[in-house]
Amino acid sequence: MVEELLIKNGVVYDPINGVKGEKKDICIRNGKIVEEVKNPKVIDAGGRVVMPGGVDIHAHIAGGKVNSGRLFRPEDGRKGLKAKTKLCRPESGYSVPNTFAVGYRYARMGYTFVMEPAMPPLAARHTHEELVDIPILDNAALPLIDNNWMTLEYVKSGDIDLLAAYIAWIIKATKGYGVKVVNPGGTEAWAWAKNCDLNDAVPYFDVTPADIVKGLAEANERFEMPHSIHVHGNMLGHPGNYEVTLKTYDLVKGITPYRDRPVLHSTHTQFFSYGGTTWRDFESKARAIADYVNANEHVSIDLGSVILGDTTTMTADGPMEYSLYQITGRKWTNHDVELETGSGITPFMYSGKVGVHTIQWAIGLELALLTRDPWKIALTSDHPNAGPFIGYPILISMLMSKKRRDESAEEMHSSIFDRTELPSIDREYDFYEIAIITRAMTARTLGLHEHGKGHLGVGADGDVAIYDISPEERDAGKIQKAFLNAKYTIKGGEIVVKDGEVVSTPEGRTFFVTPECDPKLTDEMMTKLKEMFTNYYSVSFANYPVQDAYVPNPYEIRAPWRS
Amino acid sequence: MVEITDVVCPLCGCVCDDIVVEVEDNRVTKVRGACAVGKSKLMGHGRIKSPAIRVNGALKECSYDEAIKKAAEILAGARRPLLYGWSSTVCEATKLGVCLAEEIGAVIDNTASVCHGPSVLAIQDVGLPSCTLGEVKNRASLIIYWGANPTAAHGNHMKRYSYIAKGYFLPGGKKDKKLVVVDVRETKTAKMADKFIQVEPGKDYLVLSALRAVLYGHEDVVPDNVGGVSKEDILEVANMMKEAPFGIIFFGMGVTQSRGRHNNIINAIQVTRAAHTHTKFNIMPMRGHYNVTGFNQVCTWETGFPFAVDLSRGFAWYNPGETSSTDLLIRRECDAALIIASDPGAHFPGESIKHLSKIPVIQIDPFANPTTEFADVVIPTAVSGVEAEGSVYRMDGIPLRLRKLVDTDYLSDEEVIQAILEEVRAIKSKEGE
Amino acid sequence: MEELKMQTIRLRLKEEVMSGVAKIPVIVDALTPDKLFGKSEAEIKGVKIWWGNREENTGDLFEVSVEGDATSEAEVKIVMDGDLSRVKYIGAGMKAGEIEANGDVDMHCGAMMRGGKITVRGNADCWAGCEMHGGELIIEGDAGANLCAMYRGEMTGMTGGRVVVGGNVSECAGQYMAGGEILIKGNADILAGLNMKGGKITIEGDAIMPGADMTGGEILVKGKVEDMIPSFKFVETTTVDGEQYRKYIGDLAMTEKRAKGILYVK
């Protein structure tokens, strides 16, 4: 391994450090960014665009649900077959790639960190087993905590401190990173084939989704958690849901975060920005969402932007997947997890010839273009829900080129002109803004900037992407190509991609958070928790927590109790 | 004496994890909470004593090193090797197995090929509306066993997870539940049922289609008798399904291995989808070996496909019926085989065994079995879950970690595969020079 | 008028390839008329094909001879001889020209083909004509399972072309078929036309459980039907080609909205 590396003549975009397209050398020693190096291997970036390694805030890349997606779609596997090489193991899959392909493809795009955003606690070992098998990428996973019976009972009784004790325990037990919310209450209702709107009572538990979101946001801020609660709210994918979305945002407005970050991250917001009352009068409400985000500081969003073509949808939101399968009649897998969560998976084809899909496609881009401050936005496709991550370069080229958007709109369903305002938006992202929404904002929102990710300041991880493009380039096709296959990707000071090919495959690390709770609260909570195990879980309490063997390359972040 | 609690049982797909074991002098002396078969596995029996290589028709004891070297030579030289078994070992061994398959261009396959492979094919056609076993225990008021006889094959299944278990919404246990059994004969499980439906052998498919038609509101087209079942009975079961707030079908090899095979399962899943238009309905295969599911999981995330994966051309090609072990062997495609943690000698069709007995076979297993009788290299290993730890997946996909209870001089499956892999790489790099 | 030229490429599998204890398949999707068009005999001998886990030269596994010239792919005819029972993917993906296989052939014969003609003078193993889009596939003997069906997980099988089977077919012929025509002169084992959504299957012999989960297309059974699927709806008695049939629609197990398949039974 090269111990010192010098990247010369790059045009650097490092938004966390305010570096906005400056010609600047980057020095790396022993995997970290340093002031200077003495005897380095030199990479001449030759005036190309240089950014920190990409940080994906939300992509379903590992775990039971992802693997069920792979398992039941051999026809998707067949699409991405690539033979092994001397270095790389075989690849398969397009929307549900195998673990090796996940690592290689992200690395080729210049990414070095990905957050798996939906880990069922009971199956956390599975998620970690897959994360370990993903080469190159550093990673973390968010456990699902919002439909858990323990959560529902503490929200009902209003014991936020005990709720905090529970989330601390479960984040530790799953080696997780934070609090994930998916259709709060609705997923529990789905165990009876029902669903919940924001203010409906959850069957038998007598709490509302609104209570759950608020309770979890408050409990999360009891600790110095690096990330806010990460919310997929109620009524995803339903026409007219933008009002539910805005009401959900309002629920947590008064809560003070422990540091300068939002209290709620709203994920794949495209799916939550719908107007109309049915699919017939369906329309974009991206403007309403963007206006709210522009006017408030307590919410961040990621896009969940659509990439046209066939994909595999998957979420813990069981009822939503059922609705989708009812529309398409295609194969459908559902997997409810006792006392905790659920999940559904079904293939889906986004077509630019279909009115609804066209509007969905436009909404993701509108959100990005109408939200003024890119520090509030992350680029995602909710991989693979709105399309596979391998389509990110297409999205980047769309955001950077009005011309490309116009050309696409011409070929799409006319609803784009009637039901969205995308064609009238002139804004174009520049490389600096792209760097924000693909690494800087995401690292900061996840609190990872304090742990070496998403920037190139001294002490940061030596994670660097060099794209084969000059800062002046505006041609959408060239932009797309450059972001698909990096000239170089450097991970922890090691060159992992050169000229779009993977050249080394180091193991990634798993980041996890250890919330530190008051022992008395923990003891009280534990009495109730052990009853749940004795009576209702189908596994023993002693066999539940993820053993250390499943996280061979750990990076622990402590989250002290806020006194 | 040491008492170990919360032991995870390495026998069947139930993977009970509340077993209590007593250990004395590095031996398991007592087992509580396991079914009879599980207990026998945990206590140990019939171990292979030493690695051995067949010379002039007889197995001759040798060192681990010699056996591993011989195994690697056979595999590295093969043009169409098969790596089969994997369902009674841990995921860590499987991961290395996939690596070995890539290295030597082998087909890797597990016992699903001869048990629930058809279930996987069915899932690939229509998906699987399902849940974890705890959901069943807490919510399922209607339980249907179709072509499955848990009293014989999954001793603790009804008690821990289904008909007899008490749950949050069903505190009365079986008092609060209904049991339906569909089978070709009246099994012990059938005798416990509130409703037993006897179907003519090979006619499950027809009965399932009729049920779907009824659930979708077309009882008018259904004839008076379908596959030996009266229309009345079909209507009654359909009504029980519609009225249960939460129901589940558990299906077994009675459906997967009879005429229609995976298409029977597709139809059973389609029945579940039809029932879901009225209420909550789920379906789950009764997987046999404790980690048959785990192999499918690992193989899927590493290759993209769950079993019967042909890596001969460097990429993964998946086509059960072509790349599944029994087919490969009946067609005499393979020229060498590694058999781990399974017993094709007892479970494969005669013609497959005939071919296996003609080609070099390497067996890796703690226990002697009919496969040992024709294996050319025999490598004994530690018993996973007793002498070695590791990851396994329950029939409902819940991952658990097997515990190590006693020490052993045997190498683990993982260590043996790793050693073979290294030896193969050494041979290949020599060839490369 | 310009004279139609014809080139014949003869490929005879060498005996030693199939003489071992194991019969290791040879994969020949690289040997179609369109791919070999314009190649000399020496070049054809050098085309790489898979035999188990190693790539070999065609000339090492087959005796190769070339007669005549061709000015287009359509003028190339490949004649295959020898023990072809472990030769897979004969004519797979071919676009034009002709293949004549003298003997029983292995799996995937004519799979994904788009044009041209394949004649098998013997039986064809499973997945013959799988995901076929066009062209003609004549199997003089029997066909194995999944004739003209789809690969695992796909929802569309054959979409176009014509297939004739002189003998019987094994299970699931024409599964997920969306277009084209299949004529089966013998009997069809269980579930012919399973999930069919378009095209036409004619079965001159008997059939077991035909048409299950059909949502479109047409199946006509001239012989007797065993184990009729119980979720089809009788519509009327009607005459096809001068013979009386009972016409059913189905499969209602797929819901009424989707049950648009037509099944003619005597």
Side-chain angles (χ1 to χ4, degrees):
Chain A
M1 188 183 149
V2 184
E3 289 190 356
E4 287 192 338
L5 199 61
L6 172 64
I7 301 165
K8 277 177 29 183
N9 298 324
V11 180
V12 178
Y13 295 87
D14 178 15
I16 284 177
N17 296 301
V19 179
K20 201 170 184 173
E22 290 168 31
K23 210 154 218 185
K24 198 170 174 288
D25 291 349
I26 296 168
C27 304
I28 302 173
R29 185 185 307 123
N30 293 331
K32 299 278 182 195
I33 307 283
V34 291
E35 292 282 4
E36 52 180 21
V37 281
K38 293 193 185 88
N39 189 20
K41 179 186 161 85
V42 179
I43 293 176
D44 188 344
R48 293 179 177 86
V49 167
V50 174
M51 294 182 183
V55 175
D56 196 333
I57 199 170
H58 188 111
H60 300 273
I61 53 166
K65 177 162 41 59
V66 178
N67 217 33
S68 296
R70 296 184 188 109
L71 184 143
F72 93 150
R73 294 209 70 192
E75 76 280 17
D76 186 89
R78 193 183 163 199
K79 279 190 211 168
L81 296 177
K82 196 171 169 188
K84 76 179 178 105
T85 66
K86 274 200 178 118
L87 179 71
C88 293
R89 301 186 61 180
E91 293 184 31
S92 75
Y94 170 66
S95 66
V96 276
N98 63 335
T99 45
F100 310 131
V102 168
Y104 304 150
R105 292 178 194 173
Y106 262 114
R108 287 186 204 123
M109 298 195 315
Y111 276 71
T112 53
F113 182 97
V114 180
M115 174 66 77
E116 159 54 52
M119 172 162 70
L122 182 54
R125 260 177 293 274
H126 184 166
T127 307
H128 284 290
E129 278 204 280
E130 287 196 30
L131 288 176
V132 168
D133 248 12
I134 294 175
I136 305 171
L137 299 177
D138 287 342
N139 54 64
L142 295 169
L144 293 147
I145 305 186
D146 57 317
N147 283 283
N148 305 31
W149 291 2
M150 288 290 286
T151 299
L152 299 180
E153 297 216 344
Y154 283 138
V155 169
K156 184 179 174 181
S157 61
D159 290 319
I160 300 303
D161 283 345
L162 289 172
L163 178 59
Y166 173 63
I167 69 173
W169 179 81
I170 203 146
I171 289 170
K172 280 189 284 191
T174 58
K175 297 264 195 292
Y177 194 83
V179 176
K180 179 67 188 301
V181 174
V182 174
N183 192 356
T187 301
E188 166 56 30
W190 178 241
W192 304 110
K194 297 182 169 75
N195 198 3
C196 283
D197 203 340
L198 189 59
N199 293 305
D200 292 344
V202 181
Y204 299 101
F205 287 94
D206 199 24
V207 289
T208 66
D211 299 334
I212 299 169
V213 172
K214 213 166 162 230
L216 284 172
E218 284 171 6
N220 191 60
E221 301 303 340
R222 291 282 199 274
F223 305 96
E224 295 184 11
M225 295 291 282
H227 188 34
S228 67
I229 60 168
H230 193 108
V231 178
H232 157 155
N234 300 89
M235 309 315 285
L236 178 143
H238 287 258
N241 64 9
Y242 83 103
E243 287 178 338
V244 179
T245 308
L246 295 178
K247 281 181 201 157
T248 305
Y249 294 172
D250 259 349
L251 289 169
V252 298
K253 196 168 178 177
I255 299 171
T256 320
Y258 109 83
R259 68 169 172 88
D260 177 24
R261 62 147 168 75
V263 284
L264 184 151
H265 177 74
S266 166
T267 191
H268 39 75
T269 308
Q270 175 269 128
F271 291 117
F272 288 103
S273 308
Y274 297 166
T277 54
T278 67
W279 295 115
R280 281 195 195 88
D281 61 356
F282 182 67
E283 60 177 354
S284 167
K285 285 288 178 187
R287 165 73 68 182
I289 302 292
D291 283 349
Y292 188 101
V293 174
N294 285 334
N296 289 280
E297 299 304 319
H298 66 284
V299 175
S300 57
I301 67 173
D302 68 78
L303 299 177
S305 213
V306 169
I307 293 148
L308 297 174
D310 189 60
T311 195
T312 310
T313 69
M314 54 178 66
T315 161
D317 192 340
M320 181 270 157
E321 291 289 344
Y322 181 73
S323 314
L324 204 55
Y325 137 69
Q326 288 286 292
I327 294 171
T328 64
R330 291 175 76 174
K331 50 183 126 176
W332 165 61
T333 278
N334 183 81
H335 194 70
D336 294 343
V337 179
E338 63 207 57
L339 289 86
E340 294 180 352
T341 181
S343 72
I345 314 164
T346 196
F348 195 80
M349 168 74 90
Y350 292 99
S351 162
K353 305 289 174 208
V354 175
V356 169
H357 305 171
T358 300
I359 297 166
Q360 292 179 303
W361 179 83
I363 291 173
L365 300 174
E366 285 179 306
L367 285 171
L369 296 165
L370 294 172
T371 304
R372 281 193 296 272
D373 181 359
W375 287 99
K376 291 175 174 176
I377 295 175
L379 179 105
T380 67
S381 63
D382 186 18
H383 165 85
N385 284 300
F389 66 78
I390 202 76
Y392 285 0
I394 301 175
L395 296 177
I396 290 170
S397 73
M398 291 286 171
L399 293 176
M400 293 188 74
S401 169
K402 160 83 170 153
K403 184 165 169 262
R404 178 153 201 203
R405 295 198 297 269
D406 287 346
E407 286 165 1
S408 302
E410 280 307 318
E411 288 177 4
M412 294 174 80
H413 191 274
S414 61
S415 62
I416 197 163
F417 298 103
D418 313 334
R419 311 282 182 83
T420 87
E421 57 180 289
L422 186 68
S424 66
I425 303 172
D426 292 332
R427 181 175 169 194
E428 290 182 335
Y429 270 60
D430 58 23
F431 285 111
Y432 186 69
E433 289 171 311
I434 292 295
I436 294 173
I437 68 171
T438 53
R439 41 268 283 163
M441 174 279 184
T442 47
R444 204 161 83 171
T445 304
L446 291 170
L448 285 169
H449 61 309
E450 292 176 349
H451 300 278
K453 294 291 163 198
H455 71 105
L456 299 172
V458 168
D461 289 354
D463 293 4
V464 187
I466 304 173
Y467 294 109
D468 192 7
I469 195 163
S470 91
E472 287 78 38
E473 188 59 61
R474 276 293 170 273
D475 180 86
K478 286 182 182 157
I479 291 169
Q480 182 181 329
K481 199 167 154 241
F483 279 100
L484 185 63
N485 288 303
K487 179 78 182 164
Y488 284 94
T489 304
I490 294 145
K491 164 80 195 323
E494 188 174 353
I495 298 170
V496 292
V497 170
K498 191 180 172 198
D499 296 323
E501 292 300 325
V502 174
V503 293
S504 76
T505 59
E507 290 175 5
R509 290 173 297 166
T510 297
F511 288 57
F512 63 93
V513 174
T514 304
E516 296 172 339
C517 190
D518 178 286
K520 269 190 201 143
L521 283 172
T522 303
D523 287 348
E524 191 183 340
M525 180 277 300
M526 210 53 101
T527 312
K528 190 183 188 74
L529 182 65
K530 286 190 172 162
E531 271 172 34
M532 290 282 184
F533 274 94
T534 309
N535 297 324
Y536 308 125
Y537 268 109
S538 66
V539 302
S540 300
F541 179 77
N543 289 319
Y544 186 93
V546 172
Q547 293 84 350
D548 288 342
Y550 293 86
V551 188
N553 302 309
Y555 183 99
E556 184 182 21
I557 298 173
R558 292 171 55 244
W561 183 261
R562 288 167 71 195
S563 42
Chain B
M1 190 272 289
V2 185
E3 187 182 270
I4 307 173
T5 57
D6 302 300
V7 169
V8 185
C9 177
L11 188 84
C12 81
C14 286
V15 196
C16 302
D17 74 330
D18 58 350
I19 312 293
V20 181
V21 160
E22 285 179 16
V23 171
E24 217 169 332
D25 296 334
N26 199 39
R27 270 181 51 235
V28 175
T29 51
K30 223 175 200 173
V31 176
R32 291 202 307 273
C35 67
V37 215
K39 183 172 166 183
S40 145
K41 173 92 185 261
L42 284 161
M43 304 279 282
H45 62 91
R47 300 293 293 274
I48 298 172
K49 291 203 171 58
S50 154
I53 296 175
R54 196 169 294 276
V55 184
N56 298 327
L59 281 174
K60 191 167 165 264
E61 292 193 359
C62 65
S63 67
Y64 265 117
D65 282 353
E66 287 167 301
I68 283 163
K69 203 155 178 267
K70 180 75 186 165
E73 279 166 15
I74 292 170
L75 294 172
R79 193 180 273 276
R80 191 131 177 87
L82 166 70
L83 312 180
Y84 172 82
W86 310 103
S87 298
S88 294
T89 185
V90 293
C91 294
E92 289 80 353
T94 294
K95 283 167 79 162
L96 289 164
V98 174
C99 223
L100 180 61
E102 290 168 11
E103 198 67 47
I104 61 172
V107 175
I108 187 164
D109 190 22
N110 80 329
T111 59
S113 257
V114 288
C115 57
H116 274 282
S119 310
V120 176
L121 296 186
I123 292 165
Q124 292 171 341
D125 196 59
V126 282
L128 187 77
S130 195
C131 60
T132 66
L133 289 162
E135 282 289 274
V136 178
K137 154 176 151 155
N138 288 313
R139 301 184 204 258
S141 49
L142 175 64
I143 289 145
I144 301 175
Y145 285 104
W146 196 308
N149 184 18
T151 49
H154 297 80
N156 278 351
H157 192 267
M158 293 223 255
K159 189 176 79 190
R160 271 177 68 85
Y161 307 122
S162 78
Y163 184 49
I164 303 169
K166 289 178 178 158
Y168 187 85
F169 298 100
L170 304 154
K174 71 176 178 183
K175 286 203 300 274
D176 298 340
K177 308 181 186 189
K178 287 269 184 285
L179 178 66
V180 172
V181 173
V182 186
D183 216 318
V184 292
R185 62 198 164 82
E186 193 174 5
T187 59
K188 220 169 144 190
T189 310
K191 289 199 171 76
M192 300 168 67
D194 295 284
K195 179 83 196 168
F196 169 54
I197 303 280
Q198 189 160 6
V199 52
E200 285 173 15
K203 304 284 169 101
D204 297 271
Y205 192 94
L206 298 171
V207 177
L208 291 160
S209 285
L211 253 181
R212 279 162 70 190
V214 173
L215 288 165
Y216 283 130
H218 305 297
E219 61 175 85
D220 56 319
V221 304
V222 174
D224 291 339
N225 185 297
V226 179
V229 182
S230 71
K231 184 171 179 180
E232 229 174 21
D233 277 349
I234 289 171
L235 292 177
E236 187 183 341
V237 172
N239 265 333
M240 289 171 85
M241 293 175 81
K242 285 196 237 176
E243 280 163 17
F246 185 115
I248 181 142
I249 300 170
F250 289 110
F251 62 92
M253 280 163 61
V255 203
T256 61
Q257 297 296 337
S258 63
R259 186 184 77 161
R261 298 194 315 262
H262 67 280
N263 290 300
N264 295 331
I265 312 306
I266 290 173
N267 216 344
I269 295 170
Q270 289 279 21
V271 164
T272 311
R273 284 156 62 117
H276 218 295
T277 60
H278 301 278
T279 182
K280 183 74 178 187
F281 230 90
N282 292 295
I283 182 163
M284 197 187 298
M286 298 283 281
R287 305 298 300 263
H289 299 291
Y290 70 86
N291 203 28
V292 63
T293 308
F295 174 89
N296 297 144
Q297 295 287 359
V298 172
C299 194
T300 301
W301 81 60
E302 292 211 325
T303 71
F305 309 98
F307 67 109
V309 179
D310 179 353
L311 289 149
S312 61
R313 285 175 282 169
F315 59 86
W317 166 244
Y318 165 75
N319 196 29
E322 174 184 18
T323 56
S324 32
S325 308
T326 47
D327 300 280
L328 286 170
L329 293 170
I330 288 171
R331 293 165 47 81
R332 293 167 47 204
E333 284 196 21
C334 296
D335 60 349
L338 180 150
I339 310 291
I340 177 167
S342 67
D343 184 14
H347 300 121
F348 274 16
E351 261 191 80
S352 322
I353 300 173
K354 210 168 123 195
H355 185 64
L356 261 185
S357 67
K358 286 185 191 157
I359 59 172
V361 169
I362 301 144
Q363 182 190 30
I364 301 174
D365 210 298
F367 307 107
N369 60 34
T371 303
T372 320
E373 286 162 26
F374 55 79
D376 301 282
V377 181
V378 175
I379 308 178
T381 48
V383 181
S384 299
V386 179
E387 296 159 342
E389 61 174 37
S391 252
V392 303
Y393 286 73
R394 212 165 67 179
M395 65 165 76
D396 57 350
I398 297 301
L400 286 157
R401 189 162 187 83
L402 293 185
R403 288 163 191 264
K404 180 180 171 186
L405 310 173
V406 298
D407 294 326
T408 183
D409 291 333
Y410 288 110
L411 295 180
S412 67
D413 292 329
E414 205 180 332
E415 288 165 325
V416 169
I417 301 288
Q418 177 72 49
I420 293 175
L421 181 59
E422 279 164 18
E423 198 63 41
V424 162
R425 282 178 176 152
I427 294 170
K428 294 254 168 186
S429 79
K430 221 181 259 172
E431 278 173 4
E433 285 160 20
Chain C
M1 237 173 78
E2 208 177 331
E3 197 190 336
L4 183 71
K5 290 190 177 177
M6 223 35 216
Q7 183 185 52
T8 304
I9 302 170
R10 293 185 185 278
L11 302 170
R12 171 180 284 278
L13 191 70
K14 294 182 177 176
E15 255 175 50
E16 61 263 33
V17 178
M18 289 297 151
S19 63
V21 171
K23 288 184 77 172
I24 298 167
V26 178
I27 291 181
V28 296
D29 55 341
L31 305 179
T32 59
D34 39 296
K35 285 182 187 159
L36 298 189
F37 166 65
K39 284 192 166 62
S40 69
E41 191 173 300
E43 284 169 335
I44 293 170
K45 283 179 175 170
V47 170
K48 295 281 181 198
I49 52 175
W50 286 95
W51 184 29
N53 54 17
R54 295 166 174 74
E55 275 188 301
E56 308 287 352
N57 293 318
T58 298
D60 291 340
L61 304 185
F62 287 90
E63 283 156 19
V64 180
S65 69
V66 180
E67 301 153 22
D69 294 305
T71 55
S72 77
E73 297 156 348
E75 292 168 11
V76 178
K77 179 175 178 176
I78 299 176
V79 179
M80 301 183 80
D81 288 291
D83 178 358
L84 303 175
S85 66
R86 289 294 176 273
V87 178
K88 288 179 177 172
Y89 293 93
I90 291 175
M94 76 185 258
K95 298 184 178 91
E98 202 181 330
I99 297 181
E100 196 180 295
N102 294 312
D104 296 346
V105 302
D106 205 1
M107 296 169 172
H108 315 288
C109 175
M112 299 169 283
M113 77 185 277
R114 296 184 170 274
K117 182 177 177 182
I118 302 175
T119 306
V120 178
R121 306 209 187 282
N123 303 326
D125 213 319
C126 309
W127 290 281
C130 185
E131 295 179 9
M132 176 170 171
H133 303 295
E136 205 179 344
L137 171 63
I138 312 292
I139 298 164
E140 294 186 351
D142 298 336
N146 311 311
L147 172 80
C148 300
M150 74 305 161
Y151 286 110
R152 303 292 178 192
E154 301 281 356
M155 298 286 136
T156 302
M158 178 179 184
T159 60
R162 185 168 170 268
V163 175
V164 179
V165 179
N168 303 324
V169 301
S170 190
E171 51 194 65
C172 300
Q175 186 175 5
Y176 279 109
M177 179 172 176
E181 263 184 76
I182 307 176
L183 171 63
I184 298 157
K185 296 192 171 171
N187 304 323
D189 202 343
I190 59 166
L191 300 169
L194 179 65
N195 299 107
M196 187 172 174
K197 48 192 185 180
K200 185 177 176 182
I201 303 178
T202 305
I203 301 164
E204 295 191 339
D206 304 337
I208 309 168
M209 301 199 281
D213 288 5
M214 260 180 112
T215 55
E218 203 179 301
I219 303 176
L220 186 134
V221 187
K222 295 191 174 175
K224 61 177 198 297
V225 168
E226 190 185 315
D227 287 336
M228 174 75 186
I229 296 293
S231 39
F232 272 69
K233 187 176 179 177
F234 173 69
V235 187
E236 58 181 358
T237 305
T238 179
T239 308
V240 183
D241 294 335
E243 294 199 57
Q244 278 225 324
Y245 288 89
R246 290 166 63 79
K247 179 182 174 182
Y248 288 85
I249 62 157
D251 181 346
L252 286 161
M254 295 299 282
T255 74
E256 191 166 21
K257 202 175 103 193
R258 300 183 63 199
K260 301 273 193 274
I262 296 169
L263 175 61
Y264 295 101
V265 177
K266 277 237 168 106

